[in-house]
Amino acid sequence: CQVAFLNAISEDIPVSDELFCNCTATVDPAVAATFDCRPTETSEFSILGRYRACSGIAATSVSIYLPPRADFKLSSQISCVSSIKVTVASSGEGATLNGQEQTR
């Protein structure tokens, strides 16, 4: 697994879902939670997201709080490996969440 992961990172090619799931099957969830990043520049999902998909652990909701007058712009599409509830809230006025034409 280590060689396959190192090759994937150096070549910017993700490992297959089957190999990823087999290799991460024994990883402690608390350790996996520290890897909420994408393994390569072209990876669609984070390491944590793929781990959750393999183990059947999915986030059921996420909340985003924007302070007053915040202008939050998405730089790319947000992809989820499962259905989740997203709540966006702000106090005060003038906060914006700008999908920059990246939403579906």
Side-chain angles (χ1 to χ4, degrees):
C1 290
Q2 183 177 7
V3 171
F5 284 4
L6 290 174
N7 287 340
I9 291 168
S10 67
E11 297 171 15
D12 198 25
I13 300 170
V15 296
S16 69
D17 289 338
E18 181 180 5
L19 178 61
F20 184 89
C21 291
N22 288 337
C23 291
T24 61
T26 59
V27 172
D28 183 303
V31 173
T34 65
F35 290 97
D36 197 13
C37 58
R38 294 173 190 243
T40 65
E41 195 171 305
T42 59
S43 294
E44 184 177 357
F45 299 109
S46 70
I47 294 171
L48 178 58
R50 286 186 76 187
Y51 172 81
R52 285 179 171 163
C54 292
S55 60
I57 302 169
T60 57
S61 65
V62 63
S63 296
I64 301 169
Y65 174 78
L66 300 174
R69 295 177 298 285
D71 186 17
F72 186 81
K73 292 184 173 102
L74 300 176
S75 60
S76 63
Q77 285 185 345
I78 298 172
S79 299
C80 301
V81 294
S82 63
S83 296
I84 64 169
K85 175 184 173 187
V86 178
T87 304
V88 180
S90 178
S91 63
E93 58 183 68
T96 59
L97 177 62
N98 185 345
Q100 301 192 112
E101 301 179 19
Q102 295 293 316
T103 57
R104 290 192 224 187

